[in-house]
Amino acid sequence: HYTSVRRSRMGKLNVALLRYLSKEDFRVLTAVEMGMKNHEIVPVGLIVSIAGLKHGGCCKILKELTHHKLLCYEHRKVNGYRLTFAGYDYLALNVFANRDTIFSVGNQIGVGKESDIYVVANSEGKKFALKLHRLGRTSFRKLKEKRDYHCHRRSTSWIYLSRLAAMKEYGFMKALKERGFPVPAPVDFNRHCVVMQLVDGYPLCQIHSLKEPALLYSKLMDLIVQLGNCGLIHCDFNEFNILLNDKGYPTIIDFPQMVSTAHPNAKWYFERDVQCVQEFFKHKGYESELLPKFSDLQRVDTADVELCASGFTKEMQHDSDEVHVFLYHQF
């Protein structure tokens, strides 16, 4: 599966070791992941028990995985191991390789506040975009300091938050694509990673001059309203999350922070999205008095509740809303 997997030259996703890992290596990584559901640091005894390996062999693998920075050893009141971002990446990439979703990994093409994006390809050479959610890289400590909103959960780790973000993004992309919205087609997801269509376009923030600003302005405002009529608000609808192709057609990206129009702060988020578009065009020299209003929305669909039907529970939705609302105010 890994003969064509190569190291990314520009980015930080080093997959060179992936081809050399054994089934036992992944059993140990998976055991640490499972242990982290209830433990911030997983004791060696628990890892051995979950992995189902002999103690000596398991300890040897733990040391090797730590050497390669897929695990981190912590010396605290209880000594043990925890997954690193790299280790979690490898677990997801292994699944994608076994499904033949990903055969090779290319260069990094994007980096966000809480994610990294790479070009990947399947065994037939078809290219996709791989988004790895990194909730916790810059914000998790702030989040825990701000509010212990996970007090009702046994797990408070970045693993849970990142997986939640990926699950929500994949679900929203699927729902929006089925409804004809200009979003990347979702391909697959596992853990904190989402594989999606590689869009041919450039972020709106990188485009210096617009050929038909009035037409694009109208398209974007219409999209905000159409989302609202489906019960959704993007919450980060700006020039960084809108791609434009050579023909002037926009594609919306980045969906984990989306909320329902039934959210208590829905009106504020809707108006914020409208303001972001308005301000961008104002800087480009185009102004319009035509601004959609939250009160003008007419619900025609229930896309906002579709995730609940696909396994995204109310508790998970609450956690996700809390996380992304906080992140939205932080950056």
Side-chain angles (χ1 to χ4, degrees), residues 20 47 57-58 60 95-96 105 113 124 128 144 164 195 204 213 247 252 254 256-258 293-294 300 309 321 330:
Y20 301 111
I47 298 172
C58 187
K60 182 180 179 181
V95 172
F96 288 138
V105 178
K113 299 185 293 288
E124 298 177 352
F128 303 104
K144 291 185 73 176
L164 205 62
V195 180
L204 193 57
K247 296 182 179 180
I252 313 168
D254 198 23
Q257 72 288 329
M258 291 185 79
K293 297 180 180 179
F294 184 75
V300 296
D321 287 348
Q330 285 293 312

Side-chain angles (χ1 to χ4, degrees), residues 9-66:
R9 296 178 180 177
M10 293 176 63
K12 297 180 181 180
L13 184 61
N14 182 2
V15 296
L17 181 67
L18 195 56
R19 71 182 76 180
Y20 301 111
L21 294 187
S22 65
K23 291 182 179 179
E24 288 72 23
D25 292 329
F26 281 109
R27 283 175 69 176
V28 173
L29 283 174
T30 303
V32 177
E33 177 190 25
M34 293 176 67
M36 288 182 68
K37 290 180 179 180
N38 298 314
H39 300 80
E40 186 176 354
I41 304 300
V42 189
V44 174
L46 182 58
I47 298 172
V48 172
S49 176
I50 296 174
L53 300 173
K54 292 183 178 180
H55 189 278
C58 187
C59 288
K60 182 180 179 181
I61 292 174
L62 285 168
K63 290 180 181 179
E64 291 177 352
L65 295 175
T66 302

Side-chain angles (χ1 to χ4, degrees), residues 168-183:
K168 187 174 182 183
E169 179 152 56
Y170 182 86
F172 273 131
M173 276 198 297
K174 186 174 183 295
L176 293 174
K177 194 67 178 179
E178 290 173 350
R179 288 163 172 77
F181 281 92
V183 302

Side-chain angles (χ1 to χ4, degrees), residues 80-319:
Y81 294 83
R82 61 174 174 82
L83 272 176
T84 63
F85 274 124
Y88 204 40
D89 293 346
Y90 271 37
L91 283 170
L93 289 171
N94 183 53
V95 172
F96 288 138
N98 289 331
R99 292 176 181 169
D100 198 27
T101 302
I102 295 178
F103 187 72
S104 61
V105 178
N107 288 333
Q108 184 173 10
I109 57 173
V111 59
K113 299 185 293 288
E114 302 290 336
S115 64
D116 293 318
I117 305 172
Y118 294 84
V119 175
V120 296
N122 61 15
S123 57
E124 298 177 352
K126 185 174 182 179
K127 294 182 179 180
F128 303 104
L130 169 67
K131 182 173 182 179
L132 300 97
H133 288 271
R134 306 291 198 198
L135 255 76
R137 176 167 58 192
T138 61
S139 61
F140 187 56
R141 288 184 181 178
K142 295 179 183 178
L143 192 63
K144 291 185 73 176
E145 291 169 2
K146 177 72 174 180
R147 178 181 177 188
D148 188 15
Y149 73 97
H150 274 300
C151 59
H152 59 290
R153 295 198 57 85
R154 286 179 291 176
S155 172
T156 61
S157 73
W158 54 266
I159 287 180
Y160 171 75
L161 298 179
S162 298
R163 179 176 63 85
L164 205 62
M167 182 179 181
K168 187 174 182 183
E169 179 152 56
Y170 182 86
F172 273 131
M173 276 198 297
K174 186 174 183 295
L176 293 174
K177 194 67 178 179
E178 290 173 350
R179 288 163 172 77
F181 281 92
V183 302
V187 177
D188 200 356
F189 88 97
N190 182 262
R191 292 176 170 86
H192 63 313
C193 300
V194 180
V195 180
M196 66 188 80
Q197 171 191 2
L198 184 63
V199 177
D200 181 20
Y202 298 93
L204 193 57
C205 61
Q206 296 180 8
I207 298 176
H208 299 292
S209 60
L210 301 172
K211 295 181 180 179
E212 298 181 274
L215 180 60
L216 180 59
Y217 178 90
S218 178
K219 285 181 180 179
L220 296 180
M221 291 299 188
D222 284 345
L223 282 173
I224 293 177
V225 172
Q226 289 167 19
L227 285 170
N229 289 341
C230 288
L232 297 171
I233 301 173
H234 189 280
C235 291
D236 206 8
F237 199 94
N238 56 45
E239 63 270 25
F240 300 99
N241 293 324
I242 299 169
L243 305 179
L244 204 64
N245 64 13
D246 293 335
K247 296 182 179 180
Y249 293 112
T251 299
I252 313 168
I253 60 172
D254 198 23
F255 307 99
Q257 72 288 329
M258 291 185 79
V259 299
S260 167
T261 50
H263 190 280
N265 298 322
K267 183 175 182 292
W268 188 89
Y269 287 116
F270 179 88
E271 293 174 350
R272 179 70 173 178
D273 280 353
V274 170
Q275 183 182 10
C276 284
V277 174
Q278 183 186 28
E279 290 297 321
F280 172 78
F281 279 88
K282 186 180 294 185
H283 291 150
K284 294 294 181 180
Y286 176 80
E287 295 189 48
S288 173
E289 295 181 357
L290 299 176
L291 299 175
K293 297 180 180 179
F294 184 75
S295 58
D296 295 334
L297 297 181
Q298 298 179 350
R299 181 181 280 268
V300 296
D301 204 339
T302 56
D304 54 331
V305 298
E306 185 159 311
L307 278 178
C308 292
S310 63
F312 202 83
T313 66
K314 290 183 178 179
E315 180 180 327
M316 294 166 72
Q317 180 66 49
H318 174 267
D319 288 348

